[in-house]
Amino acid sequence: MAVYFDHRVEAPDSSGAAVLISWHSSVCVLAVGSVYASTGGCVDLYLQQGEHVELCHVERGFSPSLLQWHPTKALLAVGWETGETMLLSHPSGEHTPLPNNTHTACITVLEWSSNGNRLVTGDQAGVMAVWRVDARGKLQASPLIKHDYSKPLTCCIFRPPPPAEDVAMLAHAAVSGDESALDMFNWKKSNKGGFAWDHRKDWHSTSVQLMVRGSVYSVDEQVRSVPLLSVESAVQKMWYSKRRAVLAVVTDSLLLSHFSLGPEGIAQEISKVKLSGRGGQHADIVWTENGLLITASGEQHIRLWDVELDDHYALTLDESLGFEKGELLNCVSFCTSKQVLAAGTSRGRVALWHMVTVSDQKGDTKIHWKLQTPAEVEGNISELQWGSSSHLLAVCSSSCVVILSEHVMCSHYTQQMAAVQLTPTQLSLANFNTNTHITFHTDTHIRAVQVTKDMVTVWNGKYITVYEPSGQTLHSTGSFQCESPALAVHEENIYTVEPNRVQIRTPQGTVKQLLVFSEAEGNPTLLSVCGSYLAVGTDTCHIRVFDLTCREAKAMGVMKNLSELIPDLGALRSVKCNASGNQLSILITQVNGRPDNKVYFYDIELDTLSYFNFFTGRPESSLAQSEDSQRTRCEGELAARCSVSQFWDENESRLFVCETVPVNSDLHSSSQSQIEKEDVLVVTFFVTQEHGLLLQDSQPKPAMLLSLLTLDIPYYYYICKVVSTPSAAPQVPSSPQMVVRRALRDFVGLESCEKQTRDAMLNFSFYLTIGDMDEAFKAIKLIKSEAVWENMARMCVKSRRLDVARVCLGNMGNARAARALRDAEKEPEVEAQVAVLATQLGMLDAERLYKSCGRFDLLNKFYQAAGQWQQAVETAETHDRIHLRTTYYSYAKHLEAMGDKNLALVYFEKSDTHRFEVQRMLMEDNLSLEIYINKMKDEDLYKWWGHYLESQSDMEAALHYYDLAQDYLSQVRVRCYLGNIQKASEIANETGNRAASYHVARQYEGQDEISQSVHFYTRAQAYNNAIRLCKENNLDEQLMNLALLSNPEDMMDTAMYYEEKGTHMDRAVMLYHKAGHVSKALELAFATEQFGALQLIAEDLNENSDPALLARCSDFFIKHAQYQKAVELLVAAKKYHEALQLCLDQSLSITEDLAESLTVSKDSSHLSEAGRKELLEKIADCCMRQGNYHLATKKYTQAGNKIKAMRALLKSGDTEKIVFFAGVSRQKEIYVMAANYLQSLDWRNDAEIMKNIIGFYTKGRALDLLAGFYEACAEVEIDDYQNYEKAYGALTEACKCLTKAKGRSGDEADSKLLILTQRFGLVKRFIQARRIQSVRVCESLLEEKDLDPAVRVGDVYGFLVEHYCHHGNFQQAWTKIEELRSTRPNINLSLYVSQTSLEALQNAAGVRLVYRETNTHAAEDDEEVEEDENINH
């Protein structure tokens, strides 16, 4: 909570009426321009409390027109109505005039550049000048630019400089030769000390207002004035949005236009909108950084436009806060740092709106404005302006200038005495020992207050005044001058500070002792007394504690520099010590100006620093509690918070408390107003050397209280919100109670207990916090108070110690709670059991506990029991849907009991119980019930209402509602009751309703109309009744059809009826069959020789039928040559051999289905395993005879005879299956059989077959056969391709195989190997001869006797002929041909000698060789190929 001090400026007697005010942006100096009543005016400077700076007084014989402060220096530019312009320096009062010939008309424009080295001046005649100002604030003699627009100038802005660049990167680029980087680097340097005029980077634009149309010009230092844009009327205000890079212009007619500015100063219009409100030059317009345009134009409201959201709204005054009806708003000023809008009214009031940004669940943000109670001044307010410090507001009215200074409401508590500031000059004092409080007015403003049991000390910033109580008031006992920024009081001593020392004074101001600090230790800025100890903090972040128990203050420990222990430490915010003086708590501000989210604790005796972090909890070194539970709390309720105030208990040195708010709150200012509107939590700790920091409790600040004042066991002391006015002269009720007490959680009910009980409870709370339940019991075992045990039981809810809770409940004598807790033990979740305990103790923790363990069913019951039906319904709808209808029903019953029948109807409907509950509820109100039934249009309700009307003998109305309900039985029943059976029959026939038809049938039966009765019994599917009537009335024709439609019992009964009568035996057989009595049907069919019926019955026989019956039927079908059906019946009768023999005898084809039916499963009990295999082999043999080799293979395989299966598969010729079967069988014989089969195929042209042959022979260990296959391969290579190299390779493999098989086959393998070796040698010699072109080797080969099987003779002669022809020895070649002919008379030479060699030989010998005897066909083939190729082309 804050109050506003009003400081009227100490204007000199010669000053006139103030018309201009201007705050410096960084120095707390206010410039005021005044106008004399007759002629002339003056300019004066004032400090923040209104003190006049005498040297800074300037008078002229004309009025000032404009004031503008330098952005950094205390240098004021003053413009006068005659055109004179001057610079006024503070505090020296030195003023520097501009040349007189610059401006001759009233000054209308004064604007400094952002760095203050340029000043733009402009007058009403249209003359604009730009001046250079050096670093000392001296003005250049002549202007840099001077331009005459010949029309009045109204405003001017500088375009902001571009965003900061990385100087190091620019310098590196500039050194590398980048000219643009070099230019930017030069601009950076000039921007540090001077001002670089680059039209593209740091240009400024001057707005010139014309009388008819407004224009905006861009001017650079090269005296280039470029028109940027024009608007329809005179320009009143102009802003440049750096964030959006947009120029905004507002005209006198309130036309808002937005323009984008290009790099070359080209403006392009983006949007244009007409603002509502009263225009003209008297409108006060403010533009905020977040895009709000605020105007006050002498109306009863302020208009705001959100430019970015395109939204507009108005703020009005509230008469309940002290404003008057018809009060007008003249001017506005917005404080960005505080988000506060101030407005001055025509009745001398300052309205303050605080802007609050609220986010909804969707993440959208909305702005709300909270109006506060006004501050009041004299006269009509014409201008407002926030000062350089956000707590200063200058108000210019028609009678005076007032500086409103916001001040945090000061307060203090000690020794059961509390003082709270109400207004700038008023205190509320409370004595809790005597339970009295008084309101006291002081003669000066109150900036600090300290109280003791016998003294009240007040400081106004310059003087300290000491008061002592005297009855119901206070009287002053002393006053002395002191400008100490910190103040503390202990007993009869007053502690103040001066540079590098703390003064200990008497109440009269006499200095008794000095506590000196060195230069390195800094100046004391913070003082705090707790018990008999003084804590001191300095501006260099040093801390120290002094013992005040002796006559003189004595230092404890050593001076500690916290900067060495805490990184990023900026400044100390608060330093407090505990009651024993061995612990210090510190709140700090970081280097970046943000408050730290940690609370630091310095142990003086151990010289250690610890902290509690509201993000992560304590550091690991000081953990004494469960880390998981503490971290859970830090991540939950304490997450992202920061402490704003701290206190130690004055008597209990272990207990510490602090106030925390979310970190996004504005904690930079010292104002406590944010505490009023933030989510404030009060957090309590135990701090000990043994256990470190212990988080004891956290609870929200009570809603109607302002802030925490202190902690004094057993109470928290809070400041109330009784008076929360910023008014400078409020109306305060007499003796308001400003401080209230709230008991700590552990002391609820024990507020008035004696000290022994209080200490015991405090120890109990401490031990419970560290989890030592044994010591906690010891602490309170002697306490007999029921309230103590109840409080302990409440603690058990927090600690979840149900065993302790049972003891507590026993000591309390609370049998009901003990029973409920015992019943709750069946719940598996501990949280659910604890929630039952919390409910019995009347605590609010039950809801949270049920949610934490996910027991929403119990939470639902809890809400219902507590009467929180809306929460119960919401819980059931979102989490406990299994009990949703039950919850709806219970809520409806509750509403009915409460008399809210309309809402009860809704929930009865949601619970789907309205079909019987609503009738019961509205039974006494028939009209409402009928309206409800007609509205619901529910068939069940229509039916119920029809029954009700029928009971009231209103048959016609009942029929109407039965018709709406489509209750045809009730309609038929009523129609029959009324004697209209014909209409009842029509209804039954049209609807086909079985119940209605049955009722009509009974009516007709009673009237002996048998045919109609049978008809309606049939429609009602009451076939037994229809059959009964047919039997009784000999309606045999209808009887058969009805029996077939009815159940098996009726079929049997009807069949027996036919059998007894001896007629229609075929019907009897059919009915027996349909009824499932097949044996009876067969006996009757055999007895009556109904072969057609036998055919039908046999189709339904299966393996579950009687075997004897199956055998009998099969014999019947054999006799009638229906062998296929007979086989099926024999199979069903498990007579597999007879069925198979019948297939063989009658040459029945065994299909796969029949074979499968003949196949007995392995676990069958009808055949042994050997019998089963024998049967399978017989089936396979039969399939072999019929040529069904695949099926035979399958059955042989199932019988386990893979050899026969392979033979059957070989007969099928299915190569793919043969290869697959051989691969999966893994038997040598099968491998050999498969390989032998594959050799019968065209293996020469299929490499895959050849690969399988080799693989199978190898796997089958048939090496001799594999060798024979390799020999065959060699022969093929020689005979077909003359490829002796491949043949040689094949023979090599054959030799290897025979070598391996030598030991197995004996002499036969040896002879084969010998022959193969001879062939191998001959082939090898021939290959070598061809390779080395050896004629001699070939000649020797021709002399071998057994050459031909290994090497063809023709190939040897052919090689020799080719060789001789190649060397031109045609005579020798001819000789070899003759030898070949003599040896092989019918040989075809062309197979061994190339065509080219033969033709060369013929030409050389001159003889035509006859070698085409066998090539005739080959030539023909060639011609055919050529012909085919021609065709293809």
Side-chain angles (χ1 to χ4, degrees):
M1 179 177 175
V3 294
Y4 278 82
F5 294 168
D6 56 330
H7 303 283
R8 185 189 292 262
V9 298
E10 300 172 357
D13 296 336
S14 60
S15 64
V19 292
L20 299 173
I21 58 173
S22 178
W23 280 105
H24 193 280
S25 60
S26 58
V27 183
C28 293
V29 180
L30 174 67
V32 178
S34 304
V35 178
Y36 296 139
S38 56
T39 57
C42 65
V43 174
D44 295 280
L45 301 185
Y46 301 93
L47 301 182
Q48 60 179 344
Q49 293 189 14
E51 304 96 328
H52 181 244
V53 183
E54 296 181 358
L55 297 178
C56 300
H57 175 75
V58 180
E59 288 190 21
R60 290 291 187 272
F62 33 82
S63 302
S65 61
L66 205 57
L67 302 176
Q68 188 70 38
W69 282 100
H70 190 280
T72 57
K73 296 180 175 58
L75 190 64
L76 177 68
V78 182
W80 303 84
E81 63 180 1
T82 60
E84 179 183 349
T85 306
M86 60 178 295
L87 300 181
L88 177 61
S89 179
H90 172 269
S92 64
E94 179 184 356
H95 54 273
T96 306
L98 271 65
N100 293 330
N101 58 353
T102 305
H103 297 287
T104 59
C106 179
I107 297 298
T108 57
V109 170
L110 283 177
E111 187 72 24
W112 294 91
S113 63
S114 59
N115 52 14
N117 60 4
R118 296 291 186 273
L119 173 65
V120 178
T121 61
D123 60 26
Q124 198 166 4
V127 177
M128 182 273 296
V130 180
W131 306 85
R132 184 193 299 274
V133 181
D134 60 20
R136 297 174 299 172
K138 301 299 183 181
L139 193 69
Q140 190 177 4
S142 59
L144 293 173
I145 300 174
K146 185 174 181 181
H147 193 80
D148 188 358
Y149 291 93
S150 302
K151 293 179 182 179
L153 306 178
T154 55
C155 56
C156 166
I157 62 171
F158 280 83
R159 184 177 183 182
E165 302 286 347
D166 190 337
V167 177
M169 294 179 61
L170 288 176
H172 186 272
V175 172
S176 302
D178 189 340
E179 294 184 1
S180 61
L182 184 60
D183 294 340
M184 294 180 69
F185 188 73
N186 290 334
W187 170 74
K188 284 286 176 183
K189 290 170 60 180
S190 62
N191 212 26
K192 296 290 183 182
F195 187 82
W197 287 76
D198 188 325
H199 180 73
R200 295 169 298 176
K201 299 182 177 66
D202 194 20
W203 58 275
H204 72 281
S205 61
T206 305
S207 171
V208 179
Q209 177 183 358
L210 304 180
M211 297 305 293
V212 180
R213 300 176 64 86
S215 299
V216 178
Y217 292 86
S218 171
V219 183
D220 61 11
E221 193 167 308
Q222 284 72 34
V223 200
R224 289 181 296 184
S225 178
V226 181
L228 281 180
L229 55 97
S230 297
V231 291
E232 297 177 356
S233 59
V235 176
Q236 185 174 354
K237 286 285 186 178
M238 181 167 58
W239 301 271
Y240 181 76
S241 175
K242 187 190 306 184
R243 181 166 58 91
R244 300 176 60 201
V246 168
L247 179 67
V249 176
V250 177
T251 66
D252 283 346
S253 59
L254 292 184
L255 183 66
L256 173 63
S257 303
H258 289 87
F259 301 89
S260 63
L261 301 180
E264 300 298 330
I266 301 174
Q268 183 177 0
E269 186 176 83
I270 300 175
S271 64
K272 181 187 296 184
V273 61
K274 180 64 172 70
L275 305 179
S276 59
R278 183 193 303 172
Q281 297 183 5
H282 298 290
D284 192 8
I285 304 176
V286 174
W287 177 276
T288 67
E289 294 179 357
N290 53 1
L292 278 178
L293 186 67
I294 308 171
T295 65
S297 54
E299 299 176 298
Q300 295 183 21
H301 49 261
I302 295 175
R303 300 183 186 274
L304 296 93
W305 288 269
D306 192 326
V307 177
E308 295 185 359
L309 299 179
D310 193 19
D311 186 19
H312 65 277
Y313 49 92
L315 301 179
T316 58
L317 302 176
D318 187 356
E319 296 180 16
S320 63
L321 294 177
F323 295 97
E324 297 181 15
K325 188 176 182 180
E327 201 164 353
L328 304 179
L329 294 161
N330 300 327
C331 51
V332 291
S333 181
F334 183 76
C335 180
T336 304
S337 61
K338 295 180 60 177
Q339 300 289 289
V340 173
L341 174 64
T345 73
S346 59
R347 306 290 173 83
R349 293 184 178 87
V350 179
L352 298 170
W353 283 274
H354 184 84
M355 185 174 75
V356 181
T357 303
V358 180
S359 299
D360 57 14
Q361 296 179 350
K362 298 180 180 179
D364 299 331
T365 59
K366 293 184 178 180
I367 295 177
H368 297 281
W369 296 88
K370 182 179 179 182
L371 179 62
Q372 303 177 9
T373 307
E376 296 185 4
V377 297
E378 298 177 5
N380 181 17
I381 299 176
S382 59
E383 188 175 0
L384 291 172
Q385 192 177 80
W386 288 99
S388 57
S389 177
S390 58
H391 67 276
L392 296 176
L393 178 65
V395 181
C396 180
S397 70
S398 58
S399 59
C400 62
V401 174
V402 177
I403 299 175
L404 296 180
S405 175
E406 183 184 25
H407 173 66
V408 178
M409 181 186 70
C410 57
S411 59
H412 186 241
Y413 172 92
T414 186
Q415 299 175 352
Q416 296 293 306
M417 289 289 296
V420 177
Q421 183 179 10
L422 300 177
T423 70
T425 60
Q426 192 176 25
L427 282 175
S428 173
L429 300 175
N431 188 332
F432 291 96
N433 284 324
T434 60
N435 198 22
T436 60
H437 61 274
I438 61 175
T439 301
F440 174 66
H441 289 269
T442 63
D443 298 331
T444 61
H445 288 155
I446 303 171
R447 292 191 174 274
V449 64
Q450 292 280 308
V451 296
T452 63
K453 185 166 56 175
D454 303 316
M455 185 171 62
V456 177
T457 305
V458 175
W459 177 65
N460 67 351
K462 294 182 179 181
Y463 290 90
I464 291 179
T465 304
V466 179
Y467 298 90
E468 291 184 359
S470 176
Q472 291 298 315
T473 184
L474 301 176
H475 67 275
S476 175
T477 59
S479 178
F480 56 90
Q481 184 176 1
C482 181
E483 297 185 0
S484 169
L487 178 66
V489 176
H490 175 66
E491 295 181 352
E492 297 294 327
N493 295 328
I494 300 175
Y495 299 86
T496 62
V497 299
E498 287 185 349
N500 299 112
R501 59 185 177 179
V502 176
Q503 298 170 325
I504 304 178
R505 298 173 180 263
T506 65
Q508 290 74 33
T510 305
V511 177
K512 296 169 54 178
Q513 184 183 355
L514 292 177
L515 307 178
V516 182
F517 293 77
S518 65
E519 291 292 337
E521 293 170 349
N523 300 318
T525 57
L526 299 173
L527 298 178
S528 175
V529 173
C530 182
S532 297
Y533 296 92
L534 171 68
V536 181
T538 70
D539 56 1
T540 58
C541 301
H542 287 71
I543 57 173
R544 195 158 198 178
V545 176
F546 295 89
D547 186 356
L548 308 181
T549 57
C550 302
R551 182 173 178 273
E552 292 186 351
K554 181 181 178 181
M556 298 178 61
V558 296
M559 180 71 69
K560 198 66 180 176
N561 184 5
L562 295 180
S563 300
E564 300 174 354
L565 303 177
I566 303 175
D568 298 329
L569 172 58
L572 302 179
R573 283 197 291 135
S574 175
V575 175
K576 299 288 181 71
C577 66
N578 66 347
S580 60
N582 64 344
Q583 293 280 353
L584 272 174
S585 59
I586 306 105
L587 303 180
I588 69 167
T589 300
Q590 296 176 343
V591 176
N592 58 9
R594 295 291 297 175
D596 198 346
N597 55 297
K598 303 182 185 71
V599 179
Y600 293 91
F601 296 90
Y602 176 65
D603 191 312
I604 298 174
E605 297 174 354
L606 300 179
D607 191 21
T608 57
L609 183 73
S610 58
Y611 64 84
F612 184 88
N613 191 328
F614 283 97
F615 281 78
T616 60
R618 295 157 296 182
E620 295 182 359
S621 60
S622 62
L623 283 178
Q625 289 171 285
S626 171
E627 182 179 359
D628 293 338
S629 63
Q630 182 215 172
R631 191 169 301 278
T632 300
R633 296 188 69 177
C634 288
E635 292 175 355
E637 59 187 12
L638 299 182
R641 306 188 75 82
C642 178
S643 178
V644 293
S645 63
Q646 58 172 351
F647 305 95
W648 290 89
D649 189 281
E650 288 189 340
N651 301 305
E652 175 54 53
S653 61
R654 297 174 296 177
L655 207 56
F656 171 82
V657 67
C658 63
E659 259 185 320
T660 65
V661 297
V663 294
N664 59 355
S665 63
D666 183 14
L667 299 176
H668 293 288
S669 65
S670 58
S671 172
Q672 293 183 355
S673 60
Q674 73 275 5
I675 300 178
E676 182 178 354
K677 56 183 178 291
E678 292 290 346
D679 177 21
V680 180
L681 282 181
V682 177
V683 186
T684 311
F685 296 88
F686 281 112
V687 183
T688 64
Q689 292 181 349
E690 296 81 5
H691 300 92
L693 312 179
L694 304 173
L695 178 59
Q696 191 262 345
D697 187 23
S698 64
Q699 56 179 293
K701 182 197 68 179
M704 297 307 296
L705 302 180
L706 180 63
S707 62
L708 180 67
L709 179 60
T710 192
L711 167 67
D712 192 1
I713 293 297
Y715 293 107
Y716 294 115
Y717 288 80
Y718 290 98
I719 300 174
C720 296
K721 290 183 182 178
V722 175
V723 179
S724 58
T725 171
S727 175
Q731 297 296 325
V732 181
S734 59
S735 301
Q737 179 64 33
M738 288 299 296
V739 179
V740 296
R741 303 185 294 187
R742 294 289 184 268
L744 274 73
R745 180 198 65 186
D746 303 346
F747 291 89
V748 174
L750 300 176
E751 295 86 347
S752 302
C753 64
E754 65 278 3
K755 185 178 185 304
Q756 180 184 1
T757 303
R758 186 164 62 244
D759 293 341
M761 281 305 301
L762 193 62
N763 290 330
F764 170 76
S765 178
F766 173 74
Y767 289 125
L768 196 64
T769 301
I770 65 176
D772 192 345
M773 295 302 297
D774 295 333
E775 292 296 329
F777 268 118
K778 291 178 182 179
I780 62 168
K781 64 181 181 180
L782 299 178
I783 298 177
K784 303 300 182 182
S785 172
E786 181 178 333
V788 173
W789 288 105
E790 181 179 357
N791 193 48
M792 183 176 176
R794 292 174 179 270
M795 290 185 185
C796 293
V797 173
K798 300 291 184 182
S799 62
R800 302 183 183 182
R801 289 295 303 269
L802 297 178
D803 53 343
V804 180
R806 296 187 188 95
V807 177
C808 296
L809 294 176
N811 284 279
M812 292 167 56
N814 193 337
R816 184 184 65 181
R819 170 64 183 273
L821 184 60
R822 186 167 58 252
D823 293 341
E825 292 178 355
K826 63 182 180 180
E827 300 296 341
E829 298 86 359
V830 177
E831 293 86 350
Q833 301 177 30
V834 176
V836 172
L837 174 62
T839 303
Q840 294 297 322
L841 295 176
M843 300 176 66
L844 300 177
D845 299 59
E847 180 180 357
R848 176 180 55 82
L849 290 167
Y850 282 136
K851 289 181 180 179
S852 65
C853 66
R855 289 302 301 271
F856 294 101
D857 54 336
L858 298 178
L859 178 63
N860 187 0
K861 292 180 180 179
F862 171 77
Y863 284 142
Q864 293 183 35
Q868 302 178 19
W869 287 101
Q870 290 300 325
Q871 291 91 326
V873 170
E874 291 175 3
T875 301
E877 290 175 345
T878 55
H879 301 289
D880 189 28
R881 296 192 65 84
I882 194 171
H883 296 115
L884 180 59
R885 290 180 57 189
T886 305
T887 305
Y888 286 151
Y889 180 76
S890 300
Y891 187 32
K893 296 287 287 184
H894 169 75
L895 292 171
E896 182 184 357
M898 299 301 293
D900 191 352
K901 294 185 177 181
N902 292 329
L903 192 55
L905 285 175
V906 175
Y907 282 94
F908 275 134
E909 291 170 7
K910 289 185 176 182
S911 65
D912 200 24
T913 58
H914 60 286
R915 293 180 180 86
F916 50 88
E917 289 292 344
V918 173
Q919 298 94 303
R920 175 192 55 76
M921 182 175 65
L922 300 179
M923 196 64 203
E924 296 179 358
D925 188 357
N926 289 340
L927 181 59
S928 299
L929 180 57
E930 184 176 5
I931 294 173
Y932 174 78
I933 290 174
N934 290 326
K935 182 187 72 173
M936 291 301 295
K937 298 181 180 179
D938 185 271
E939 292 184 358
D940 292 335
L941 294 177
Y942 283 144
K943 183 176 180 180
W944 183 90
W945 188 243
H947 287 327
Y948 175 76
L949 294 175
E950 184 180 352
S951 68
Q952 300 296 317
S953 300
D954 191 353
M955 297 300 181
E956 292 299 326
L959 283 173
H960 170 68
Y961 281 98
Y962 286 145
D963 184 33
L964 293 176
Q966 297 183 3
D967 185 1
Y968 305 114
L969 173 61
S970 297
Q971 293 183 50
V972 166
R973 179 172 48 77
V974 173
R975 295 289 183 186
C976 294
Y977 173 78
L978 296 175
N980 193 354
I981 193 172
Q982 186 63 33
K983 182 62 176 179
S985 300
E986 293 177 2
I987 294 174
N989 281 321
E990 291 174 359
T991 61
N993 185 269
R994 294 173 59 186
S997 299
Y998 185 83
H999 187 83
V1000 173
R1002 291 294 301 271
Q1003 295 294 322
Y1004 277 121
E1005 184 180 359
Q1007 298 178 11
D1008 292 333
E1009 295 188 20
I1010 303 303
S1011 61
Q1012 288 290 341
S1013 179
V1014 169
H1015 167 71
F1016 282 104
Y1017 275 135
T1018 304
R1019 289 188 64 83
Q1021 298 183 14
Y1023 301 114
N1024 55 348
N1025 286 301
I1027 290 171
R1028 174 178 54 79
L1029 289 178
C1030 290
K1031 287 180 181 179
E1032 293 173 357
N1033 296 277
N1034 296 319
L1035 300 176
D1036 293 348
E1037 295 299 327
Q1038 298 183 30
L1039 183 61
M1040 180 63 181
N1041 293 332
L1042 292 173
L1044 291 175
L1045 293 173
S1046 188
N1047 53 46
E1049 289 78 6
D1050 290 335
M1051 292 181 187
M1052 284 287 297
D1053 187 58
T1054 304
M1056 293 172 63
Y1057 170 78
Y1058 282 127
E1059 188 177 2
E1060 289 175 0
K1061 289 186 68 174
T1063 59
H1064 304 294
M1065 301 303 290
D1066 55 338
R1067 297 181 181 179
V1069 172
M1070 181 183 297
L1071 289 174
Y1072 279 130
H1073 180 209
K1074 293 290 185 182
H1077 285 252
V1078 181
S1079 58
K1080 180 66 176 177
L1082 285 173
E1083 289 179 2
L1084 189 59
F1086 280 122
T1088 58
E1089 296 184 353
Q1090 298 183 33
F1091 302 115
L1094 281 173
Q1095 291 275 3
L1096 295 175
I1097 296 172
E1099 290 179 358
D1100 294 337
L1101 296 176
N1102 52 38
E1103 59 184 7
N1104 297 322
S1105 303
D1106 184 10
L1109 185 63
L1110 292 172
R1112 185 175 178 184
C1113 290
S1114 65
D1115 293 339
F1116 170 78
F1117 285 117
I1118 291 173
K1119 290 179 182 178
H1120 291 82
Q1122 295 187 16
Y1123 303 111
Q1124 191 69 36
K1125 188 64 179 177
V1127 168
E1128 293 176 0
L1129 292 176
L1130 289 172
V1131 170
K1134 311 297 184 184
K1135 296 184 178 182
Y1136 303 108
H1137 293 283
E1138 290 84 347
L1140 188 59
Q1141 188 61 42
L1142 181 61
C1143 291
L1144 293 174
D1145 295 342
Q1146 302 300 329
S1147 301
L1148 297 179
S1149 177
I1150 298 180
T1151 63
E1152 187 169 357
D1153 293 337
L1154 179 59
E1156 291 300 324
S1157 63
L1158 289 170
T1159 302
V1160 183
S1161 61
K1162 290 184 178 182
D1163 55 352
S1164 176
S1165 59
H1166 294 87
L1167 286 177
S1168 63
E1169 183 63 21
R1172 174 180 171 276
K1173 291 183 177 180
E1174 181 184 359
L1175 176 62
L1176 287 171
E1177 290 197 8
K1178 286 184 178 180
I1179 296 172
D1181 292 341
C1182 184
C1183 292
M1184 286 288 288
R1185 294 191 188 96
Q1186 296 178 358
N1188 194 344
Y1189 300 115
H1190 286 96
L1191 189 57
T1193 301
K1194 182 177 180 181
K1195 294 305 167 184
Y1196 279 133
T1197 303
Q1198 291 176 350
N1201 195 335
K1202 294 184 179 181
I1203 301 298
K1204 286 188 176 182
M1206 188 62 182
R1207 289 174 182 169
L1209 196 58
L1210 292 174
K1211 287 188 177 183
S1212 69
D1214 192 337
T1215 304
E1216 183 178 354
K1217 291 185 178 180
I1218 291 171
V1219 172
F1220 174 77
F1221 187 77
V1224 299
S1225 296
R1226 299 180 181 276
Q1227 291 187 9
K1228 295 180 180 180
E1229 295 84 354
I1230 294 177
Y1231 281 134
V1232 174
M1233 293 169 65
N1236 292 339
Y1237 167 77
L1238 292 177
Q1239 279 201 74
S1240 66
L1241 304 178
D1242 186 11
W1243 56 268
R1244 298 170 183 82
N1245 298 319
D1246 194 333
E1248 188 66 26
I1249 295 178
M1250 182 181 295
K1251 178 181 177 182
N1252 286 330
I1253 293 172
I1254 296 172
F1256 288 158
Y1257 277 139
T1258 303
K1259 293 177 181 178
R1261 307 293 185 185
L1263 298 179
D1264 51 346
L1265 297 177
L1266 180 58
F1269 177 70
Y1270 278 127
E1271 285 187 60
C1273 291
E1275 291 177 0
V1276 169
E1277 293 296 336
I1278 293 173
D1279 294 341
D1280 294 350
Y1281 307 106
Q1282 298 180 3
N1283 193 336
Y1284 283 89
E1285 284 78 6
K1286 287 188 177 181
Y1288 175 74
L1291 291 174
T1292 302
E1293 295 296 328
C1295 289
K1296 291 179 181 179
C1297 293
L1298 286 179
T1299 301
K1300 293 179 181 178
K1302 182 178 180 181
R1304 303 176 187 174
S1305 302
D1307 297 338
E1308 182 180 357
D1310 291 343
S1311 61
K1312 287 184 179 180
L1313 181 59
L1314 180 61
I1315 295 172
L1316 188 60
T1317 304
Q1318 292 177 355
R1319 294 180 61 187
F1320 177 74
L1322 293 174
V1323 171
K1324 182 177 181 181
R1325 288 171 60 192
F1326 180 63
I1327 292 172
Q1328 292 176 349
R1330 289 202 303 182
R1331 183 180 299 117
I1332 64 176
Q1333 298 291 318
S1334 176
V1335 176
R1336 182 176 59 80
V1337 174
C1338 291
E1339 293 289 353
S1340 63
L1341 284 173
L1342 291 174
E1343 295 175 358
E1344 295 288 340
K1345 295 181 180 180
D1346 298 328
L1347 176 64
D1348 193 67
V1351 180
R1352 294 189 302 182
V1353 175
D1355 290 335
V1356 179
Y1357 278 110
F1359 170 73
L1360 292 173
V1361 171
E1362 291 281 351
H1363 176 76
Y1364 287 134
C1365 289
H1366 179 70
H1367 290 84
N1369 194 348
F1370 296 105
Q1371 184 63 35
Q1372 287 292 336
W1374 180 263
T1375 301
K1376 293 300 177 183
I1377 288 178
E1378 290 297 332
E1379 289 180 6
L1380 179 58
R1381 282 182 170 180
S1382 62
T1383 307
R1384 300 283 193 274
N1386 297 323
I1387 195 168
N1388 186 357
L1389 293 176
S1390 62
L1391 296 176
Y1392 305 100
V1393 182
S1394 66
Q1395 185 69 24
T1396 305
S1397 299
L1398 289 175
E1399 290 179 356
L1401 184 59
Q1402 288 179 141
N1403 294 334
V1407 181
R1408 183 70 176 175
L1409 292 174
V1410 182
Y1411 55 84
R1412 292 186 178 272
E1413 297 174 357
T1414 59
N1415 277 5
T1416 305
H1417 298 289
E1420 293 175 357
D1421 292 341
D1422 292 341
E1423 291 176 359
E1424 290 177 0
V1425 170
E1426 291 178 0
E1427 182 179 356
D1428 291 341
E1429 290 176 353
N1430 294 331
I1431 291 173
N1432 291 334
H1433 287 294

